[in-house]
Amino acid sequence: MRVVRLASEIDFAGWREAARTLRGQGVAPDTVIWTVDGEGDLFADPEPLAAPAPGGFTVSREFLELAEDVILHRSAERFALLYRLLWRLAAEPNLLRIATDPDVARANDLARQVSKAAHKMKAFVRFRTVSPDPETYAAWFEPAHRVTEAVAPFFARRFANMAWSILTPDVCVHWNGAQLAVTPGADPADAPGEDALEDYWRTYYASIFNPARLKVEAMTKEMPKRYWRNLPEARLIPDLIAAAEGRTNLMVAKPPTEPSRRVIRAVARASRDAAYDGMAPQSLEEVAAGVDACRRCPLYREATQGVSGEGPAHARLMLVGEQPGDQEDLAGRPFVGPAGQVLDRALAEVGAPRAETYVTNAVKHFKHELRGKRRIHQTPNPSEVTACRWWLDAERRLVRPRVVVALGATAALSVFGKAMPIGKNRGVALQLPDQSQGVVTYHPSYLLRIPDAEAKAAAYALFVQDLRFAWGLAA
Ligand code: URA
């Protein structure tokens, strides 16, 4: 037996070096024990690994990215599983394409759980003031997997101008406005006490809670109970659920912007030749996992998570928006904010249950810029719309809706691959190459930002008319 002792639970560089050496020397996976420094004397001190055999070998970027995620899982099997995969790749170079292979399936599953833990951390870390001068914040968080160091750069970008620490049982990360530092894990007792920020979070949460769309099961899925303990807003949940029935729409308009001519031209040009690359997703679950892990454009960096579509797997009607907004980004679901409330109201007037439609967006990550603490919507640029079209096309291919409704100009651009002025094209059936019918109409956020009440009501009436037409067409 060979014993490999890694420097830490997330020592990817150490694992990689040892794994390369072992495979180079032909050491079979079932003769290797992987352990981590500080795990006691259960295993004898390892013999130092000899230098790797000359010549070496290369592995795909895809495998390395998978391994980087899997290493962060808390499962004890992860080092051995990855080495087994690396070993098998020598004889089976296409192994990672075989999603049903037990080792590949297990590694993908671990990576998915890690990615979910990272997203939950981005969404659920709550900072408290430690000192007002200099302004310093700290948060206590218990991640499901060892994602703290991987997620820290996200917080450094998002809260670049603050000094903050995130304390976790595994490790603590600190940002001083210029540099990230890592120190050993902390005790919950080290977490700062409750302060006014808690009220801020509770107010925010109460304002985004939409009683009309209350689904307790989905809600606990998005905000699993394991995180409630450290979430100030979690205390509101029982009351909000109890009061849900009596509450009506809370609407806060946040206008989107229309794509510029430059965007329209560039997307039209790029989409003419857009080819499928990589493995096309075979199910909506694969789309959701892929969107979440998508790196096809840089938007994932600042977003909390990728937001894929939702609805029945074979809905007759697909509704396509522009991109998730602030609230969708946090909730991980499309159209749950103000624009979603307009859409819900219009669908209800048409008699088209939203639950029978598939609702998605042209771009799956929230593009925004930070102004103070506010995240302000930004219109996706040509390459972002084009990159994301791959996911929308996959959703269309899998759901096979009879009718696709493009809500607004960006959605129309993505659905039709060319500019479709809304005023000129709205409300009629337009043939799409996949034999579905396309309908374009206004984006609900556009309706929200029309200042004149009469004009707003008139545009809303046309919007309802277009949705009614599309729903009838899909019947
Ligand atoms: N606007 C959109 O286009 N999509 C959403 O999901 C939310 C707001």
Side-chain angles (χ1 to χ4, degrees):
M1 275 294 177
R2 303 293 295 270
V3 178
V4 180
R5 202 180 289 279
L6 299 173
S8 78
E9 297 284 0
I10 59 165
D11 180 11
F12 178 69
W15 174 86
R16 184 177 175 179
E17 197 187 321
R20 288 186 79 84
T21 306
L22 291 168
R23 196 181 107 172
Q25 294 172 350
V27 180
D30 54 2
T31 64
V32 182
I33 293 174
W34 296 88
T35 175
V36 170
D37 244 356
E39 276 186 349
D41 293 331
L42 194 56
F43 305 107
D45 262 351
E47 338 159 10
L49 291 174
F57 57 90
T58 54
V59 285
S60 65
R61 186 72 226 144
E62 186 188 3
F63 174 74
L64 290 177
E65 281 173 2
L66 178 71
E68 270 172 337
D69 283 348
V70 169
I71 288 266
L72 305 184
H73 200 279
R74 293 194 190 277
S75 154
E77 77 192 283
R78 64 200 186 285
F79 300 127
L81 170 67
L82 288 173
Y83 182 51
R84 201 159 57 243
L85 278 175
L86 181 71
W87 176 264
R88 291 182 56 197
L89 279 167
E92 304 166 75
N94 291 322
L95 178 60
L96 295 189
R97 303 256 170 266
I98 307 170
T100 50
D101 177 274
D103 285 341
V104 175
R106 181 69 183 143
N108 284 335
D109 194 35
L110 298 190
R112 253 192 308 274
Q113 290 176 36
V114 165
S115 158
K116 192 166 161 202
H119 288 133
K120 296 297 175 205
M121 182 163 185
K122 290 178 188 174
F124 296 150
V125 161
R126 300 289 181 265
F127 287 104
R128 292 167 167 177
T129 314
V130 181
S131 131
D133 192 16
E135 215 179 350
T136 314
Y137 298 87
W140 171 256
F141 191 73
E142 295 169 44
H145 297 288
R146 295 186 181 91
V147 294
T148 307
E149 284 147 287
V151 172
F154 165 84
F155 286 102
R157 285 193 299 274
R158 182 174 289 182
F159 302 112
N161 302 325
M162 287 164 44
W164 51 257
S165 295
I166 301 175
L167 316 178
T168 83
D170 308 310
V171 81
C172 300
V173 286
H174 314 268
W175 172 253
N176 61 5
Q179 263 181 328
L180 273 171
V182 180
T183 57
D187 191 89
D190 300 332
E194 183 159 328
D195 73 351
L197 277 187
E198 313 279 273
D199 283 341
Y200 168 82
W201 273 108
R202 277 193 281 268
T203 309
Y204 173 71
Y205 187 76
S207 77
I208 65 165
F209 178 80
N210 180 352
R213 310 251 343 260
L214 174 65
K215 283 196 200 127
V216 177
E217 206 183 309
M219 191 159 137
T220 40
K221 197 167 151 231
E222 291 311 326
M223 192 194 277
K225 285 202 169 145
R226 73 184 305 281
Y227 297 106
W228 286 25
R229 180 153 42 118
N230 297 311
L231 287 174
E233 67 269 34
R235 263 180 260 162
L236 292 175
I237 293 173
D239 283 352
L240 288 171
I241 290 176
E245 215 177 318
R247 289 178 55 199
T248 48
N249 293 347
L250 295 164
M251 281 207 184
V252 188
K254 182 158 66 59
T257 44
E258 299 289 324
S260 68
R261 283 184 189 289
R262 187 177 59 84
V263 173
I264 291 170
R265 273 198 307 271
V267 173
R269 217 178 308 118
S271 5
R272 267 202 307 273
D273 314 314
Y276 278 60
D277 57 358
M279 291 279 285
Q282 298 304 309
S283 67
L284 291 173
E285 288 71 31
E286 280 183 33
V287 171
V291 159
D292 217 18
C294 183
R295 303 289 182 265
R296 296 171 68 86
C297 80
L299 291 187
Y300 73 92
R301 291 205 192 112
E302 305 303 328
T304 306
Q305 56 197 313
V307 179
S308 55
E310 64 176 21
H314 295 299
R316 287 175 292 155
L317 185 68
M318 178 179 278
L319 299 159
V320 184
E322 181 193 271
Q323 61 167 351
D326 184 64
Q327 297 181 29
E328 287 78 14
D329 168 80
L330 293 171
R333 298 177 53 212
F335 282 104
V336 294
Q341 293 181 28
V342 176
L343 180 63
D344 287 353
R345 199 178 112 204
L347 287 173
E349 280 179 39
V350 166
R354 172 162 165 165
E356 289 181 24
T357 67
Y358 187 90
V359 180
T360 190
N361 280 299
V363 171
K364 312 296 195 209
H365 283 100
F366 175 36
K367 182 172 183 183
H368 59 274
E369 66 177 2
L370 267 184
R371 284 203 208 132
K373 286 188 180 154
R374 294 194 58 212
R375 300 193 299 164
I376 309 296
H377 164 278
Q378 281 193 309
T379 306
N381 72 26
S383 60
E384 290 151 0
V385 175
T386 307
C388 225
R389 198 166 178 235
W390 194 76
W391 293 115
L392 180 63
D393 284 352
E395 287 175 302
R396 284 174 57 187
R397 203 179 55 252
L398 290 162
V399 177
R400 285 187 280 111
R402 290 187 194 163
V403 178
V404 182
V405 178
L407 303 168
T410 302
L413 189 56
S414 183
V415 169
F416 293 91
K418 61 179 187 186
M420 299 289 285
I422 306 297
K424 236 167 70 193
N425 293 289
R426 54 153 285 278
V428 296
L430 302 159
Q431 187 65 49
L432 286 162
D434 64 358
Q435 298 314 312
S436 60
Q437 303 284 317
V439 174
V440 300
T441 187
Y442 301 118
H443 191 286
S445 299
Y446 163 74
L447 304 174
L448 282 169
R449 61 169 206 272
I450 299 177
D452 176 68
E454 220 172 289
K456 189 195 274 278
Y460 177 76
L462 293 178
F463 179 61
V464 172
Q465 183 184 314
D466 295 346
L467 291 183
R468 182 169 287 119
F469 170 73
W471 182 242
L473 197 61

